[in-house]
Amino acid sequence: MSWLEVIVLGLVQGLTEFLPISSSGHLRIVAEVFFEKDAGAAFTAVTQLGTEAAVVIYFAKDIWNLFITWCRGFVDAEVRRTFDYRMAWLVIIGTIPIGVLGLLFEDAIKEPARNLWLVSSMLVIFGIVLGLAERFGPQRRDYDSLTVKDGIILGFAQAMALIPGVSRSGGTITAGLAIGLKRAVAVRYSFLLAIPAVVASGLFSLGDVTAGDSGVSTAQMVVATLVAFVVGYAIIAWLLKFVERHSVYVFVWYRIVLGLMLLGALSLGWISAT
């Protein structure tokens, strides 16, 4: 892998990880269109460590409060009635589906699921679903209304992002809007929910991406991850402000147009699906 490819893919990861447009799908598309090869699922997983580090730093105070409250809750019944204690459990519960399904379908995620016919189809289909959730979701519920049932629903929605093109944030935001959460609440919970799963996935994939036949040096992996971190941090701040004042339709139309263009390019044989 060239240094240009490493930097470009790091930028793509940082720009797309938190937007509901599928970072793994974009890495797959950009790698194929501009570099004529797939960077691989392991490369995607490890660069996500950079963007998740951005989340950890941006939400450091929130994360620390959740962790401390969760620990105190084991010995203090009063603490167990607080919102932070419940939220900590909601993050844990919501992480279970993607962890279990990721292990069960690891081989499919690394190869068959990265077919560009599937990626482009998922961009269109889940773009439409996101648009429907934005249009018909009541968007009245705040943080304190989140329940265990919601955590399970959003956890399975996040797990759909194991298929490139679906989008982890897109899945959770769509599900959040569909069950009546305010847009900003769905986005913020999506950020917190991603941390355990993505960090675990990235660490688990380190061995694959640094292997001798991976085509990526350790130095290149570090640079790609750092680039993703810097760009990702800026995107977090922008997106949180954006969704407070705007709908997600711009992402809906972007997904649909990109997916249809990709389907057209595949049909004409301009790019390879595998």
Side-chain angles (χ1 to χ4, degrees):
M1 185 177 291
S2 70
W3 278 101
L4 176 62
E5 186 175 357
V6 165
I7 293 172
V8 168
L9 295 182
L11 284 169
V12 171
Q13 169 62 30
L15 286 169
T16 60
E17 171 64 21
F18 304 117
L19 304 180
I21 57 176
S22 179
S23 60
S24 58
H26 275 73
L27 285 174
R28 177 70 184 90
I29 294 167
V30 171
E32 183 64 41
V33 172
F34 294 100
F35 303 104
E36 299 183 342
K37 61 181 178 180
D38 185 0
F43 179 90
T44 300
V46 175
T47 55
Q48 285 177 332
L49 286 175
T51 46
E52 290 316 303
V55 172
V56 170
I57 292 174
Y58 193 91
F59 293 106
K61 184 178 179 180
D62 297 37
I63 295 168
W64 179 250
N65 287 338
L66 291 177
F67 176 71
I68 292 299
T69 304
W70 182 72
C71 292
R72 289 175 55 207
F74 285 102
V75 296
D76 190 334
E78 194 69 30
V79 172
R80 289 197 290 273
R81 289 191 283 270
T82 64
F83 167 75
D84 281 351
Y85 182 77
R86 188 168 79 252
M87 176 59 82
W89 274 112
L90 288 174
V91 172
I92 294 170
I93 291 168
T95 300
I96 295 173
I98 196 170
V100 173
L101 294 174
L103 288 173
L104 289 176
F105 298 101
E106 179 184 359
D107 291 338
I109 294 167
K110 287 183 177 180
E111 294 296 337
R114 299 181 67 80
N115 186 289
L116 285 180
W117 283 107
L118 179 61
V119 172
S120 54
S121 298
M122 291 301 98
L123 282 170
V124 175
I125 292 170
F126 280 91
I128 294 172
V129 174
L130 175 61
L132 291 173
E134 172 70 44
R135 174 65 180 83
F136 297 106
Q139 299 185 35
R140 298 192 188 98
R141 298 175 57 198
D142 217 323
Y143 296 103
D144 55 5
S145 71
L146 285 166
T147 65
V148 172
K149 179 182 177 181
D150 296 329
I152 295 171
I153 291 172
L154 292 169
F156 275 101
Q158 176 177 242
M160 291 190 297
L162 293 169
I163 304 172
V166 172
S167 171
R168 181 197 52 73
S169 61
T172 51
I173 293 171
T174 299
L177 295 176
I179 61 177
L181 295 180
K182 293 179 180 178
R183 199 181 302 113
V185 174
V187 170
R188 196 177 187 91
Y189 180 68
S190 173
F191 286 153
L192 295 174
L193 185 60
I195 295 171
V198 174
V199 170
S201 175
L203 294 175
F204 185 75
S205 300
L206 276 174
D208 293 336
V209 84
T210 56
D213 58 350
S214 68
V216 187
S217 69
T218 301
Q220 288 177 319
M221 199 67 256
V222 170
V223 169
T225 305
L226 286 174
V227 170
F229 164 77
V230 173
V231 178
Y233 189 90
I235 291 295
I236 294 172
W238 175 81
L239 183 61
L240 286 172
K241 293 179 181 178
F242 180 86
V243 296
E244 289 180 355
R245 301 187 297 270
H246 303 86
S247 72
V248 296
Y249 287 130
V250 63
F251 304 118
V252 171
W253 287 112
Y254 174 81
R255 289 180 63 108
I256 293 173
V257 170
L258 177 62
L260 292 176
M261 289 175 60
L262 190 60
L263 286 170
L266 288 165
S267 300
L268 294 170
W270 291 351
I271 56 175
S272 171
T274 57

